[in-house]
Amino acid sequence: HDGVLGWYRYASENDVPFPNRFLGLSNQAEIKTLPEHVLCAHRVLAHRRAFERRIAYAPNAIRPVDYEAMVADPFAAFSKLFTPEEMDGLGAFTLVEQPNPASLSKYKDVLSPDQISDITKLEAQFSA
């Protein structure tokens, strides 16, 4: 995605701090040496780390949204995200955009099996 890749262009052309928790990179050289799919995976994992740190610091300050559940059954996902009182305050549930189940696997259309394997290994390292 060009918007995501723009952050790497910006970081390679400007003086940004490293290690960089936003990009999930240890040093600026990684921008030029890592393949794009691995760069993007580092960024996603960095955001996951930030989310997990925030949850650990203030567990009631943020609520996770399960994207897969939101695609499968938006109303049920919202019902788990908000209390009944909050749901009442929000008003009647209206589906503004139809969820697309294909979005859950679209990565298979743009990434090769080797790239998916690279990302899976990086996720395993992150989880360890």
mmCIF file of all heavy atoms in Angstrom, residues 83-120:
data_model
loop_
_atom_site.group_PDB
_atom_site.id
_atom_site.type_symbol
_atom_site.label_atom_id
_atom_site.label_comp_id
_atom_site.label_asym_id
_atom_site.label_seq_id
_atom_site.Cartn_x
_atom_site.Cartn_y
_atom_site.Cartn_z
ATOM 1 N N THR A 83 -20.979 -2.141 26.186
ATOM 2 C CA THR A 83 -21.941 -2.624 27.174
ATOM 3 C C THR A 83 -23.352 -2.372 26.637
ATOM 4 O O THR A 83 -23.535 -1.538 25.735
ATOM 5 C CB THR A 83 -21.787 -1.880 28.508
ATOM 6 O OG1 THR A 83 -22.155 -0.503 28.315
ATOM 7 C CG2 THR A 83 -20.367 -1.985 29.065
ATOM 8 N N PRO A 84 -24.359 -3.054 27.197
ATOM 9 C CA PRO A 84 -25.737 -2.789 26.753
ATOM 10 C C PRO A 84 -26.130 -1.310 26.920
ATOM 11 O O PRO A 84 -26.802 -0.751 26.050
ATOM 12 C CB PRO A 84 -26.585 -3.692 27.659
ATOM 13 C CG PRO A 84 -25.664 -4.826 28.007
ATOM 14 C CD PRO A 84 -24.295 -4.191 28.115
ATOM 15 N N GLU A 85 -25.653 -0.690 27.997
ATOM 16 C CA GLU A 85 -25.965 0.720 28.209
ATOM 17 C C GLU A 85 -25.323 1.592 27.119
ATOM 18 O O GLU A 85 -25.941 2.536 26.619
ATOM 19 C CB GLU A 85 -25.480 1.187 29.594
ATOM 20 C CG GLU A 85 -26.192 0.533 30.763
ATOM 21 C CD GLU A 85 -25.696 -0.887 31.059
ATOM 22 O OE1 GLU A 85 -24.578 -1.269 30.639
ATOM 23 O OE2 GLU A 85 -26.457 -1.630 31.702
ATOM 24 N N GLU A 86 -24.077 1.255 26.757
ATOM 25 C CA GLU A 86 -23.406 2.006 25.694
ATOM 26 C C GLU A 86 -24.106 1.781 24.353
ATOM 27 O O GLU A 86 -24.271 2.717 23.565
ATOM 28 C CB GLU A 86 -21.937 1.605 25.596
ATOM 29 C CG GLU A 86 -21.115 2.075 26.780
ATOM 30 C CD GLU A 86 -19.721 1.473 26.822
ATOM 31 O OE1 GLU A 86 -19.556 0.303 26.398
ATOM 32 O OE2 GLU A 86 -18.803 2.170 27.280
ATOM 33 N N MET A 87 -24.530 0.542 24.109
ATOM 34 C CA MET A 87 -25.256 0.254 22.860
ATOM 35 C C MET A 87 -26.549 1.066 22.805
ATOM 36 O O MET A 87 -26.882 1.623 21.757
ATOM 37 C CB MET A 87 -25.564 -1.245 22.744
ATOM 38 C CG MET A 87 -24.360 -2.120 22.489
ATOM 39 S SD MET A 87 -23.645 -1.949 20.849
ATOM 40 C CE MET A 87 -24.856 -2.812 19.849
ATOM 41 N N ASP A 88 -27.255 1.156 23.934
ATOM 42 C CA ASP A 88 -28.479 1.964 23.973
ATOM 43 C C ASP A 88 -28.169 3.426 23.668
ATOM 44 O O ASP A 88 -28.891 4.082 22.924
ATOM 45 C CB ASP A 88 -29.163 1.864 25.343
ATOM 46 C CG ASP A 88 -29.839 0.517 25.552
ATOM 47 O OD1 ASP A 88 -30.063 -0.211 24.556
ATOM 48 O OD2 ASP A 88 -30.129 0.191 26.727
ATOM 49 N N GLY A 89 -27.080 3.925 24.250
ATOM 50 C CA GLY A 89 -26.692 5.313 24.025
ATOM 51 C C GLY A 89 -26.282 5.596 22.589
ATOM 52 O O GLY A 89 -26.442 6.718 22.092
ATOM 53 N N LEU A 90 -25.774 4.595 21.919
ATOM 54 C CA LEU A 90 -25.366 4.775 20.526
ATOM 55 C C LEU A 90 -26.557 4.770 19.569
ATOM 56 O O LEU A 90 -26.459 5.245 18.449
ATOM 57 C CB LEU A 90 -24.382 3.665 20.117
ATOM 58 C CG LEU A 90 -23.006 3.737 20.764
ATOM 59 C CD1 LEU A 90 -22.221 2.452 20.492
ATOM 60 C CD2 LEU A 90 -22.246 4.948 20.259
ATOM 61 N N GLY A 91 -27.669 4.221 20.021
ATOM 62 C CA GLY A 91 -28.844 4.159 19.155
ATOM 63 C C GLY A 91 -28.882 2.865 18.362
ATOM 64 O O GLY A 91 -28.048 1.975 18.539
ATOM 65 N N ALA A 92 -29.839 2.779 17.469
ATOM 66 C CA ALA A 92 -30.054 1.559 16.694
ATOM 67 C C ALA A 92 -28.831 1.253 15.825
ATOM 68 O O ALA A 92 -28.240 2.151 15.230
ATOM 69 C CB ALA A 92 -31.293 1.706 15.821
ATOM 70 N N PHE A 93 -28.496 -0.014 15.778
ATOM 71 C CA PHE A 93 -27.367 -0.457 14.969
ATOM 72 C C PHE A 93 -27.742 -0.359 13.494
ATOM 73 O O PHE A 93 -28.787 -0.849 13.071
ATOM 74 C CB PHE A 93 -26.996 -1.896 15.318
ATOM 75 C CG PHE A 93 -25.869 -2.442 14.493
ATOM 76 C CD1 PHE A 93 -24.554 -2.144 14.813
ATOM 77 C CD2 PHE A 93 -26.124 -3.232 13.388
ATOM 78 C CE1 PHE A 93 -23.505 -2.639 14.047
ATOM 79 C CE2 PHE A 93 -25.089 -3.746 12.623
ATOM 80 C CZ PHE A 93 -23.771 -3.440 12.945
ATOM 81 N N THR A 94 -26.892 0.299 12.735
ATOM 82 C CA THR A 94 -27.093 0.410 11.297
ATOM 83 C C THR A 94 -25.810 0.007 10.598
ATOM 84 O O THR A 94 -24.734 0.539 10.896
ATOM 85 C CB THR A 94 -27.438 1.865 10.904
ATOM 86 O OG1 THR A 94 -28.575 2.279 11.641
ATOM 87 C CG2 THR A 94 -27.716 1.978 9.421
ATOM 88 N N LEU A 95 -25.919 -0.923 9.688
ATOM 89 C CA LEU A 95 -24.775 -1.365 8.920
ATOM 90 C C LEU A 95 -24.548 -0.367 7.783
ATOM 91 O O LEU A 95 -25.347 -0.271 6.863
ATOM 92 C CB LEU A 95 -25.010 -2.778 8.384
ATOM 93 C CG LEU A 95 -23.829 -3.498 7.786
ATOM 94 C CD1 LEU A 95 -22.692 -3.646 8.802
ATOM 95 C CD2 LEU A 95 -24.244 -4.867 7.298
ATOM 96 N N VAL A 96 -23.458 0.390 7.874
ATOM 97 C CA VAL A 96 -23.168 1.428 6.882
ATOM 98 C C VAL A 96 -22.447 0.842 5.679
ATOM 99 O O VAL A 96 -22.686 1.241 4.546
ATOM 100 C CB VAL A 96 -22.332 2.560 7.519
ATOM 101 C CG1 VAL A 96 -21.938 3.598 6.495
ATOM 102 C CG2 VAL A 96 -23.101 3.189 8.671
ATOM 103 N N GLU A 97 -21.569 -0.105 5.936
ATOM 104 C CA GLU A 97 -20.805 -0.733 4.860
ATOM 105 C C GLU A 97 -20.906 -2.241 5.003
ATOM 106 O O GLU A 97 -20.736 -2.774 6.095
ATOM 107 C CB GLU A 97 -19.346 -0.281 4.933
ATOM 108 C CG GLU A 97 -18.514 -0.751 3.776
ATOM 109 C CD GLU A 97 -17.124 -0.151 3.781
ATOM 110 O OE1 GLU A 97 -16.974 1.021 4.144
ATOM 111 O OE2 GLU A 97 -16.189 -0.887 3.426
ATOM 112 N N GLN A 98 -21.161 -2.902 3.906
ATOM 113 C CA GLN A 98 -21.293 -4.360 3.933
ATOM 114 C C GLN A 98 -19.913 -4.999 4.083
ATOM 115 O O GLN A 98 -19.017 -4.742 3.292
ATOM 116 C CB GLN A 98 -21.949 -4.848 2.643
ATOM 117 C CG GLN A 98 -22.276 -6.314 2.635
ATOM 118 C CD GLN A 98 -23.291 -6.707 3.704
ATOM 119 O OE1 GLN A 98 -24.252 -6.002 3.956
ATOM 120 N NE2 GLN A 98 -23.077 -7.834 4.338
ATOM 121 N N PRO A 99 -19.713 -5.819 5.119
ATOM 122 C CA PRO A 99 -18.423 -6.487 5.286
ATOM 123 C C PRO A 99 -18.128 -7.424 4.113
ATOM 124 O O PRO A 99 -19.041 -8.039 3.568
ATOM 125 C CB PRO A 99 -18.586 -7.293 6.576
ATOM 126 C CG PRO A 99 -19.798 -6.764 7.234
ATOM 127 C CD PRO A 99 -20.651 -6.157 6.170
ATOM 128 N N ASN A 100 -16.870 -7.511 3.776
ATOM 129 C CA ASN A 100 -16.457 -8.353 2.669
ATOM 130 C C ASN A 100 -15.569 -9.479 3.198
ATOM 131 O O ASN A 100 -14.399 -9.243 3.491
ATOM 132 C CB ASN A 100 -15.711 -7.522 1.633
ATOM 133 C CG ASN A 100 -15.282 -8.321 0.432
ATOM 134 O OD1 ASN A 100 -15.541 -9.515 0.341
ATOM 135 N ND2 ASN A 100 -14.622 -7.661 -0.494
ATOM 136 N N PRO A 101 -16.105 -10.693 3.297
ATOM 137 C CA PRO A 101 -15.297 -11.811 3.817
ATOM 138 C C PRO A 101 -14.014 -12.046 3.021
ATOM 139 O O PRO A 101 -13.031 -12.539 3.559
ATOM 140 C CB PRO A 101 -16.241 -13.013 3.724
ATOM 141 C CG PRO A 101 -17.615 -12.412 3.764
ATOM 142 C CD PRO A 101 -17.491 -11.088 3.049
ATOM 143 N N ALA A 102 -13.990 -11.667 1.748
ATOM 144 C CA ALA A 102 -12.781 -11.840 0.937
ATOM 145 C C ALA A 102 -11.627 -10.992 1.470
ATOM 146 O O ALA A 102 -10.453 -11.301 1.217
ATOM 147 C CB ALA A 102 -13.058 -11.486 -0.520
ATOM 148 N N SER A 103 -11.940 -9.954 2.237
ATOM 149 C CA SER A 103 -10.875 -9.100 2.782
ATOM 150 C C SER A 103 -9.994 -9.860 3.777
ATOM 151 O O SER A 103 -8.866 -9.460 4.039
ATOM 152 C CB SER A 103 -11.466 -7.859 3.455
ATOM 153 O OG SER A 103 -12.152 -8.207 4.645
ATOM 154 N N LEU A 104 -10.521 -10.966 4.309
ATOM 155 C CA LEU A 104 -9.760 -11.747 5.279
ATOM 156 C C LEU A 104 -8.647 -12.564 4.628
ATOM 157 O O LEU A 104 -7.717 -12.983 5.308
ATOM 158 C CB LEU A 104 -10.689 -12.675 6.070
ATOM 159 C CG LEU A 104 -11.787 -11.987 6.868
ATOM 160 C CD1 LEU A 104 -12.700 -13.025 7.505
ATOM 161 C CD2 LEU A 104 -11.201 -11.067 7.917
ATOM 162 N N SER A 105 -8.746 -12.763 3.332
ATOM 163 C CA SER A 105 -7.730 -13.566 2.649
ATOM 164 C C SER A 105 -7.131 -12.863 1.441
ATOM 165 O O SER A 105 -6.402 -13.486 0.667
ATOM 166 C CB SER A 105 -8.320 -14.910 2.229
ATOM 167 O OG SER A 105 -9.405 -14.715 1.345
ATOM 168 N N LYS A 106 -7.395 -11.578 1.267
ATOM 169 C CA LYS A 106 -6.902 -10.877 0.075
ATOM 170 C C LYS A 106 -5.374 -10.824 0.030
ATOM 171 O O LYS A 106 -4.794 -10.679 -1.040
ATOM 172 C CB LYS A 106 -7.499 -9.483 -0.043
ATOM 173 C CG LYS A 106 -7.027 -8.486 0.982
ATOM 174 C CD LYS A 106 -7.684 -7.137 0.768
ATOM 175 C CE LYS A 106 -7.212 -6.153 1.800
ATOM 176 N NZ LYS A 106 -7.852 -4.862 1.634
ATOM 177 N N TYR A 107 -4.728 -10.981 1.184
ATOM 178 C CA TYR A 107 -3.270 -10.989 1.196
ATOM 179 C C TYR A 107 -2.725 -12.119 0.321
ATOM 180 O O TYR A 107 -1.637 -12.014 -0.243
ATOM 181 C CB TYR A 107 -2.727 -11.099 2.627
ATOM 182 C CG TYR A 107 -3.000 -12.422 3.300
ATOM 183 C CD1 TYR A 107 -2.071 -13.450 3.248
ATOM 184 C CD2 TYR A 107 -4.185 -12.649 3.991
ATOM 185 C CE1 TYR A 107 -2.307 -14.673 3.866
ATOM 186 C CE2 TYR A 107 -4.432 -13.859 4.602
ATOM 187 C CZ TYR A 107 -3.501 -14.871 4.535
ATOM 188 O OH TYR A 107 -3.744 -16.080 5.142
ATOM 189 N N LYS A 108 -3.488 -13.184 0.169
ATOM 190 C CA LYS A 108 -3.044 -14.315 -0.653
ATOM 191 C C LYS A 108 -3.003 -13.958 -2.142
ATOM 192 O O LYS A 108 -2.325 -14.616 -2.918
ATOM 193 C CB LYS A 108 -3.954 -15.520 -0.433
ATOM 194 C CG LYS A 108 -3.872 -16.083 0.968
ATOM 195 C CD LYS A 108 -4.856 -17.217 1.164
ATOM 196 C CE LYS A 108 -4.824 -17.718 2.593
ATOM 197 N NZ LYS A 108 -5.822 -18.760 2.841
ATOM 198 N N ASP A 109 -3.718 -12.893 -2.509
ATOM 199 C CA ASP A 109 -3.730 -12.447 -3.902
ATOM 200 C C ASP A 109 -2.527 -11.578 -4.245
ATOM 201 O O ASP A 109 -2.197 -11.424 -5.412
ATOM 202 C CB ASP A 109 -5.007 -11.654 -4.204
ATOM 203 C CG ASP A 109 -6.265 -12.490 -4.062
ATOM 204 O OD1 ASP A 109 -6.181 -13.728 -4.214
ATOM 205 O OD2 ASP A 109 -7.326 -11.905 -3.788
ATOM 206 N N VAL A 110 -1.902 -10.988 -3.225
ATOM 207 C CA VAL A 110 -0.792 -10.059 -3.495
ATOM 208 C C VAL A 110 0.554 -10.545 -2.973
ATOM 209 O O VAL A 110 1.586 -10.016 -3.355
ATOM 210 C CB VAL A 110 -1.093 -8.643 -2.941
ATOM 211 C CG1 VAL A 110 -2.276 -8.027 -3.667
ATOM 212 C CG2 VAL A 110 -1.339 -8.677 -1.449
ATOM 213 N N LEU A 111 0.540 -11.544 -2.104
ATOM 214 C CA LEU A 111 1.787 -12.080 -1.555
ATOM 215 C C LEU A 111 2.021 -13.497 -2.055
ATOM 216 O O LEU A 111 1.076 -14.281 -2.181
ATOM 217 C CB LEU A 111 1.738 -12.090 -0.023
ATOM 218 C CG LEU A 111 1.639 -10.743 0.676
ATOM 219 C CD1 LEU A 111 1.413 -10.951 2.174
ATOM 220 C CD2 LEU A 111 2.868 -9.903 0.428
ATOM 221 N N SER A 112 3.260 -13.812 -2.301
ATOM 222 C CA SER A 112 3.609 -15.177 -2.712
ATOM 223 C C SER A 112 3.619 -16.082 -1.481
ATOM 224 O O SER A 112 3.697 -15.597 -0.343
ATOM 225 C CB SER A 112 4.988 -15.186 -3.368
ATOM 226 O OG SER A 112 5.997 -14.978 -2.375
ATOM 227 N N PRO A 113 3.593 -17.390 -1.682
ATOM 228 C CA PRO A 113 3.696 -18.301 -0.530
ATOM 229 C C PRO A 113 4.984 -18.071 0.270
ATOM 230 O O PRO A 113 4.963 -18.162 1.500
ATOM 231 C CB PRO A 113 3.671 -19.691 -1.175
ATOM 232 C CG PRO A 113 2.876 -19.502 -2.429
ATOM 233 C CD PRO A 113 3.263 -18.127 -2.918
ATOM 234 N N ASP A 114 6.087 -17.762 -0.406
ATOM 235 C CA ASP A 114 7.338 -17.482 0.312
ATOM 236 C C ASP A 114 7.227 -16.220 1.156
ATOM 237 O O ASP A 114 7.734 -16.170 2.285
ATOM 238 C CB ASP A 114 8.513 -17.355 -0.663
ATOM 239 C CG ASP A 114 8.951 -18.696 -1.234
ATOM 240 O OD1 ASP A 114 8.612 -19.756 -0.640
ATOM 241 O OD2 ASP A 114 9.632 -18.686 -2.277
ATOM 242 N N GLN A 115 6.574 -15.195 0.628
ATOM 243 C CA GLN A 115 6.389 -13.957 1.395
ATOM 244 C C GLN A 115 5.498 -14.206 2.612
ATOM 245 O O GLN A 115 5.774 -13.701 3.700
ATOM 246 C CB GLN A 115 5.793 -12.866 0.503
ATOM 247 C CG GLN A 115 6.754 -12.349 -0.542
ATOM 248 C CD GLN A 115 6.080 -11.422 -1.529
ATOM 249 O OE1 GLN A 115 4.932 -11.638 -1.949
ATOM 250 N NE2 GLN A 115 6.791 -10.362 -1.906
ATOM 251 N N ILE A 116 4.454 -14.973 2.425
ATOM 252 C CA ILE A 116 3.569 -15.309 3.545
ATOM 253 C C ILE A 116 4.352 -16.079 4.600
ATOM 254 O O ILE A 116 4.210 -15.832 5.801
ATOM 255 C CB ILE A 116 2.333 -16.098 3.056
ATOM 256 C CG1 ILE A 116 1.459 -15.195 2.179
ATOM 257 C CG2 ILE A 116 1.534 -16.652 4.229
ATOM 258 C CD1 ILE A 116 0.345 -15.921 1.436
ATOM 259 N N SER A 117 5.213 -16.977 4.163
ATOM 260 C CA SER A 117 6.053 -17.739 5.091
ATOM 261 C C SER A 117 6.998 -16.806 5.855
ATOM 262 O O SER A 117 7.173 -16.956 7.073
ATOM 263 C CB SER A 117 6.848 -18.786 4.319
ATOM 264 O OG SER A 117 7.727 -19.470 5.171
ATOM 265 N N ASP A 118 7.600 -15.840 5.164
ATOM 266 C CA ASP A 118 8.472 -14.870 5.830
ATOM 267 C C ASP A 118 7.722 -14.132 6.935
ATOM 268 O O ASP A 118 8.237 -13.954 8.047
ATOM 269 C CB ASP A 118 9.004 -13.827 4.833
ATOM 270 C CG ASP A 118 9.980 -14.377 3.821
ATOM 271 O OD1 ASP A 118 10.531 -15.477 4.044
ATOM 272 O OD2 ASP A 118 10.194 -13.687 2.794
ATOM 273 N N ILE A 119 6.525 -13.702 6.629
ATOM 274 C CA ILE A 119 5.720 -12.947 7.603
ATOM 275 C C ILE A 119 5.300 -13.844 8.762
ATOM 276 O O ILE A 119 5.335 -13.423 9.929
ATOM 277 C CB ILE A 119 4.505 -12.305 6.901
ATOM 278 C CG1 ILE A 119 4.990 -11.226 5.920
ATOM 279 C CG2 ILE A 119 3.526 -11.725 7.914
ATOM 280 C CD1 ILE A 119 3.920 -10.731 4.964
ATOM 281 N N THR A 120 4.936 -15.072 8.468
ATOM 282 C CA THR A 120 4.556 -16.026 9.517
ATOM 283 C C THR A 120 5.718 -16.257 10.481
ATOM 284 O O THR A 120 5.529 -16.296 11.697
ATOM 285 C CB THR A 120 4.091 -17.350 8.888
ATOM 286 O OG1 THR A 120 2.978 -17.069 8.028
ATOM 287 C CG2 THR A 120 3.677 -18.351 9.944
#
